[in-house]
Amino acid sequence: MLKNRILCISVALFSCLGAASANDLITEIKLNVYPNSAKVRPFETAVIQAEFYGVKKKGWFERIFGGGESKKSRIQSNDWNVRLREPGGGWLSKPFLFQQESRKEASGIENFIRQGLNAALAKDAILYSAPEKPGKYAIKITAGNLSEEIVIEVSDSAPPNREGVRIRFSPTSKPSDPYFELAEHYAPFIAQETWFNPRADYLVRFDYDGNWKGDDNWENLSKSASQAFVYYAVMETESHWFLQYNFFHARDYSDVCIVGTCHENDNEGLILAVRKDGSKLGKLELMETLAHNAIHSFTNDPGIRNGILDIDGKIDLYEGVRPVVFVEAGGHGILGSSHKDSRFRAEKLEFAANTGVTYVYKGTGESPKHPNDRNVGYALLPIYDQWWSKGNQETPDPNETFERFYAYAPFGNRPGTRAKYIAGAFKGRTAGENLAKPFWAWHDNKTRDKRIINTGQWALDPAYSMSKSLIFPDDKPVSVNYIFNPFLAIETGPKP
């Protein structure tokens, strides 16, 4: 995972070049608030930045080359905490490095160096989300024995700090897809963490700004619809139904964008394997999620064992049938809620800390009221109708939605696609170029390196990929013979 590897290198450099240490003495805390008026409307947000000053001890590198004396200066530190003084006084995001908007769009090594090595670790701000009830609410920042408070006034008379939405999607009609009932039945409960740009964390449809252009989605974020939609597809073999759910975001973002880790558009997802057990809707057997080019597997069946991939946890269920998944803020990697890195607790239906929105399937696309909203409804859109017609063609030429068309080449002598070329990326320019992928261009680093599951194969041919990556009980085989798969060059059953 590129982000983690680069962060580890950054940590090493950070330590060598004199990061904040236990010997640094913080003697003063200054708090800044944006907007400067410290006044916001209900459910709107404000940034609170903490600046720490004191005596900074120089590291060994600086002592060798520049003397070892102490000096009074601003100190980069993560050793601080924040809390609301009154219960019900709003919500606080996880910390982030505060920057001007122009820097948030930048990416690459040059920008990383420009931001400074300290930025890799030191976070100095949080996003405050106001409650619905007007009033004055205090936020307390503490570092060591020092603390400072800032008061935010929540008032209907405050100037709005977000643009009005110009687009509103009408309710979608129920598809004629014979597999839609399955997709509805197992539609997941989604715990979406939010951060300093919550609109970029909200689930949206690709044409959320009213067009199918991929290279204007970053810029249109603040003025476009935040109604929640999830894309789906269903495939069927003799033994299973395979249900895919794709979560689209307008931006992959961070407070430190390094070597393309931020980019326009973002699409990650999960696959459910539902075994045919004689009942109308079958039994959920396996869930696999995608997080930064790594597949994570979850099951409640102890007979399914580690193979090339490991079982990462159990499947938590909402209302007894819907799998619970956690989606990280910023990069939007998806994990089952039981994963050790999940920051959502399914047993309490709560985020472990900070802010997040929970989404439930209602058949209607609703918009979050604030970055810590609950049970926001989403609707389902078919991938085949929405994306596939634009993402497969007989030439590699780009279009307004997709670029980097490639020829699908599965391992294992498996069937190819119906089209000669399929899209390798959503068209995007801001922050990183063409880095978001439709499901038919996803890959898992481990299985691709072993030449078992090639680019696109995990999601285009889920029966084969699951049968190769995990070990199933002898009495529960996985058929790789499709009754229906509209994406591959095989004879299939009913149309989607």
Side-chain angles (χ1 to χ4, degrees):
M1 306 200 4
L2 181 61
K3 292 183 182 180
N4 290 342
R5 288 198 296 269
I6 293 173
L7 183 58
C8 289
I9 295 170
S10 303
V11 170
L13 290 171
F14 183 76
S15 299
C16 290
L17 296 180
S21 72
N23 294 323
D24 293 339
L25 177 63
I26 296 175
T27 58
E28 182 182 8
I29 303 173
K30 291 183 180 179
L31 300 182
N32 305 313
V33 62
Y34 307 91
N36 296 331
S37 64
K39 188 175 180 179
V40 297
R41 290 188 176 190
F43 291 151
E44 293 198 353
T45 60
V47 173
I48 299 171
Q49 181 190 32
E51 296 181 352
F52 305 103
Y53 295 88
V55 178
K56 181 176 177 59
K57 301 290 186 181
K58 290 191 175 183
W60 66 266
F61 184 91
E62 292 168 301
R63 289 198 298 270
I64 292 173
F65 292 98
E69 70 278 4
S70 302
K71 63 178 181 179
K72 187 172 184 179
S73 62
R74 184 173 174 183
I75 295 173
Q76 298 275 7
S77 175
N78 278 328
D79 190 16
W80 58 279
N81 60 72
V82 57
R83 66 178 181 86
L84 292 158
R85 194 170 66 183
E86 303 91 0
W91 306 277
L92 305 173
S93 76
K94 64 181 180 182
F96 61 94
L97 174 71
F98 178 74
Q99 300 176 79
Q100 297 301 321
E101 183 65 28
S102 60
R103 299 310 320 147
K104 295 173 188 175
E105 297 182 11
S107 185
I109 287 290
E110 181 182 350
N111 180 60
F112 176 55
I113 294 172
R114 184 184 297 113
Q115 291 179 56
L117 292 171
N118 286 1
L121 289 181
K123 310 296 183 182
D124 63 358
I126 55 94
L127 187 74
Y128 167 77
S129 297
E132 183 175 18
K133 183 180 179 181
K136 293 185 177 181
Y137 301 98
I139 296 94
K140 185 176 183 179
I141 306 285
T142 301
N145 295 324
L146 297 179
S147 63
E148 288 289 338
E149 285 190 350
I150 195 163
V151 175
I152 303 292
E153 181 180 357
V154 179
S155 171
D156 293 320
S157 65
N161 65 7
R162 58 189 179 195
E163 295 185 52
V165 174
R166 303 175 187 174
I167 298 168
R168 183 77 186 172
F169 293 99
S170 301
T172 56
S173 57
K174 188 172 183 177
S176 58
D177 178 1
Y179 294 103
F180 187 66
E181 184 178 5
L182 269 169
E184 283 187 302
H185 182 72
Y186 289 105
F189 178 98
I190 305 161
Q192 171 67 67
E193 183 184 40
T194 56
W195 202 11
F196 65 87
N197 194 343
R199 285 185 68 92
D201 293 316
Y202 294 163
L203 303 180
V204 295
R205 51 194 290 168
F206 180 88
D207 57 337
Y208 82 127
D209 55 354
N211 67 56
W212 284 94
K213 294 177 60 179
D215 58 355
D216 65 357
N217 282 334
W218 184 290
E219 288 75 14
N220 289 339
L221 181 66
S222 63
K223 58 189 176 184
S224 299
S226 57
Q227 288 169 267
F229 292 87
V230 169
Y231 291 89
Y232 83 95
V234 182
M235 303 166 190
E236 181 182 5
T237 69
E238 296 166 346
S239 61
H240 287 82
W241 292 290
F242 296 92
L243 284 63
Q244 303 209 20
Y245 298 93
N246 285 203
F247 307 150
F248 183 83
H249 301 82
R251 296 182 186 180
D252 179 306
Y253 75 100
S254 177
D255 53 350
V256 181
C257 293
I258 309 168
V259 196
T261 54
C262 300
H263 52 82
E264 188 167 24
N265 304 315
D266 199 17
N267 182 56
E268 300 196 51
L270 61 92
I271 303 175
L272 304 180
V274 176
R275 182 171 290 276
K276 297 178 180 179
D277 64 351
S279 65
K280 182 179 180 181
L281 298 171
K283 181 179 180 181
L284 177 59
E285 186 173 65
L286 181 69
M287 175 174 73
E288 292 193 332
T289 70
L290 187 72
H292 312 300
N293 299 330
I295 295 171
H296 299 273
S297 304
F298 304 86
T299 183
N300 293 335
D301 186 340
I304 300 176
R305 295 177 287 120
N306 294 344
I308 297 167
L309 300 179
D310 294 335
I311 301 296
D312 292 288
K314 64 184 180 69
I315 304 174
D316 292 318
L317 297 175
Y318 175 73
E319 296 181 339
V321 67
R322 303 184 186 278
V324 181
V325 295
F326 167 78
V327 187
E328 67 175 353
H332 306 132
I334 301 172
L335 298 169
S337 57
S338 65
H339 193 278
K340 62 182 178 61
D341 293 332
S342 168
R343 291 184 287 276
F344 185 78
R345 304 293 175 256
E347 63 276 8
K348 296 182 177 180
L349 294 180
E350 294 178 354
F351 289 89
N354 312 125
T355 54
V357 172
T358 62
Y359 291 94
V360 295
Y361 175 72
K362 297 181 182 179
T364 300
E366 299 177 344
S367 297
K369 296 183 178 68
H370 53 79
N372 203 48
D373 207 353
R374 293 291 180 270
N375 291 354
V376 177
Y378 69 85
L380 291 171
L381 294 174
I383 292 173
Y384 189 88
D385 295 341
Q386 294 279 316
W387 288 350
W388 184 244
S389 62
K390 303 174 182 64
N392 76 98
Q393 55 194 33
E394 293 304 304
T395 70
D397 302 323
N399 58 47
E400 67 174 0
T401 304
F402 293 109
E403 291 198 355
R404 294 185 179 171
F405 282 78
Y406 76 104
Y408 174 60
F411 296 140
N413 196 30
R414 295 294 292 166
T417 55
R418 295 181 180 277
K420 186 174 181 180
Y421 294 99
I422 59 177
F426 291 98
K427 183 177 182 178
R429 295 291 183 268
T430 305
E433 185 170 322
N434 297 338
L435 293 178
K437 302 171 184 176
F439 82 70
W440 55 83
W442 289 340
H443 77 274
D444 168 70
N445 287 329
K446 186 175 183 179
T447 53
R448 189 174 70 172
D449 290 347
K450 292 180 178 292
R451 297 187 61 80
I452 294 169
I453 303 173
N454 206 358
T455 299
Q457 196 167 6
W458 174 60
L460 279 169
D461 195 353
Y464 178 79
S465 62
M466 288 184 179
S467 70
K468 289 296 182 180
S469 60
L470 297 171
I471 299 172
F472 287 77
D474 291 340
D475 61 342
K476 292 182 179 180
V478 177
S479 170
V480 297
N481 299 316
Y482 286 100
I483 295 171
F484 176 70
N485 187 328
F487 305 99
L488 298 183
I490 56 178
E491 293 299 323
T492 61
K495 293 182 179 180

